[in-house]
Amino acid sequence: MLPPTTLLFQTLLTAAAFTLLFSLPQLVHSHYHSSSSAPSTYTEWRSARATYYAPAEPGDPVGGACGYGDLEKMGYGKATAALSTVLFEKGQICGACFQVRCVEDLRWCIPGTSIIVTATNFCAPNYGFEADGGGHCNFPNAHFVFPIEAFEKIAIWKASNMPIQYRRVKCRREGGVRFTVDGAGIFLSVLISNVAGAGDMVAVKIKGSRTGWLPMGRNWGQNWHINADFKNQPLSFEITNSDGITLTSYSVAPRDWTYGQTFEGKQFDS
């Protein structure tokens, strides 16, 4: 039997995988891309499976395993996915984009269709079931969980657990990279969202007018943190995506920034 702390942790992860937060500012709206957009690919097609979830009551205090909160207000809409452990990479993958298509089932697949979704959440394993039984997100399964609105773009909802193929593609975004600043005192937390190109960050640095460039640590998902006094200093950010491309946005936040604000910087090529 698992210890109480482990059970509590798994319960919190499961809750975070399927609910959203409604307190963040309104940002740009995303949309579905069809396969005709011919996105640049990073990987070849790979096999996985996919299920869906219906809308749930918004009660998650942390806004999902990537920390984006209300996906509609953050601009991701319904074109999103929760990923199983083998794909989630401990949150590194948050913000990455995948093209997904339904395969092998002529009865339930919608022919000639595909969708592009952003990784925004984690599908926690359920070890009460075998990986080839009800434990869809158990290791080593490659599994996607979509909102039903996204699932129905490629398959009929009655199909439930569908074989799919997926591949990494470049993310296309409207507007610049978003930096949502939070914290208290000398603890500074920054949520990085609306990232084009590779979409997922591997390194972040911050600079005030009275500091040099300081590395930030990944807190969880695409939330990055540092302990430093940046009061009354404009904030600049240097972010590196998983392709190794670095983007620098100078003085994104003005000198009089406050916690809870969102600022827009430059954008990667998409």
Side-chain angles (χ1 to χ4, degrees):
M1 179 178 294
L2 294 173
T5 54
T6 301
L7 289 172
L8 177 59
F9 180 68
Q10 289 188 352
T11 300
L12 290 173
L13 280 178
T14 303
F18 300 107
T19 53
L20 304 174
L21 189 67
F22 284 85
S23 61
L24 294 176
Q26 179 72 41
L27 298 176
V28 298
H29 294 285
S30 66
H31 53 277
Y32 294 99
H33 304 302
S34 68
S35 57
S36 61
S37 62
S40 300
T41 60
Y42 295 152
T43 61
E44 297 300 318
W45 289 105
R46 298 181 181 181
S47 297
R49 297 191 72 87
T51 49
Y52 64 84
Y53 66 94
E57 290 297 321
D60 177 20
V62 296
C66 291
Y68 294 129
D70 186 332
L71 299 179
E72 295 283 353
K73 292 183 178 180
M74 292 298 288
Y76 295 109
K78 301 294 185 183
T80 61
L83 307 184
S84 61
T85 302
V86 73
L87 298 173
F88 191 65
E89 300 179 12
K90 299 180 179 179
Q92 157 67 55
I93 203 67
C94 290
C97 293
F98 295 87
Q99 185 179 16
V100 180
R101 65 188 182 188
C102 182
V103 294
E104 298 178 9
D105 196 324
L106 298 179
R107 181 182 181 187
W108 302 116
C109 289
I110 300 175
T113 61
S114 71
I115 56 174
I116 294 178
V117 296
T118 302
T120 58
N121 224 324
F122 174 56
C123 179
N126 184 346
Y127 294 118
F129 297 93
E130 297 296 328
D132 58 355
H136 302 315
C137 291
N138 292 3
F139 186 86
N141 292 347
H143 197 91
F144 289 72
V145 182
F146 302 123
I148 190 171
E149 294 88 347
F151 187 90
E152 289 185 318
K153 297 289 182 179
I154 58 173
I156 298 172
W157 68 271
K158 290 183 179 180
S160 184
N161 188 1
M162 285 293 298
I164 61 168
Q165 289 182 334
Y166 71 96
R167 61 181 177 180
R168 271 293 287 275
V169 297
K170 279 191 173 183
C171 299
R172 298 190 303 174
R173 305 294 183 210
E174 298 177 19
V177 176
R178 311 288 200 229
F179 301 91
T180 301
V181 181
D182 210 337
I186 65 169
F187 176 77
L188 186 75
S189 174
V190 179
L191 168 64
I192 302 175
S193 61
N194 199 53
V195 181
D200 56 335
M201 300 293 97
V202 296
V204 177
K205 292 182 180 180
I206 186 173
K207 182 182 183 301
S209 58
R210 298 193 297 270
T211 74
W213 286 104
L214 302 174
M216 302 187 75
R218 186 190 302 276
N219 197 326
W220 53 288
Q222 290 301 348
N223 285 273
W224 297 76
H225 72 277
I226 190 172
N227 286 318
D229 185 2
F230 289 101
K231 291 192 297 291
N232 299 317
Q233 300 178 61
L235 303 180
S236 302
F237 294 95
E238 178 186 281
I239 56 179
T240 304
N241 67 18
S242 60
D243 275 352
I245 299 175
T246 296
L247 183 73
T248 304
S249 295
Y250 293 99
S251 300
V252 171
R255 181 176 179 275
D256 59 349
W257 64 269
T258 60
Y259 293 119
Q261 291 181 308
T262 298
F263 305 97
E264 184 174 316
K266 293 182 179 179
Q267 182 60 276
F268 290 97
D269 292 334
S270 58

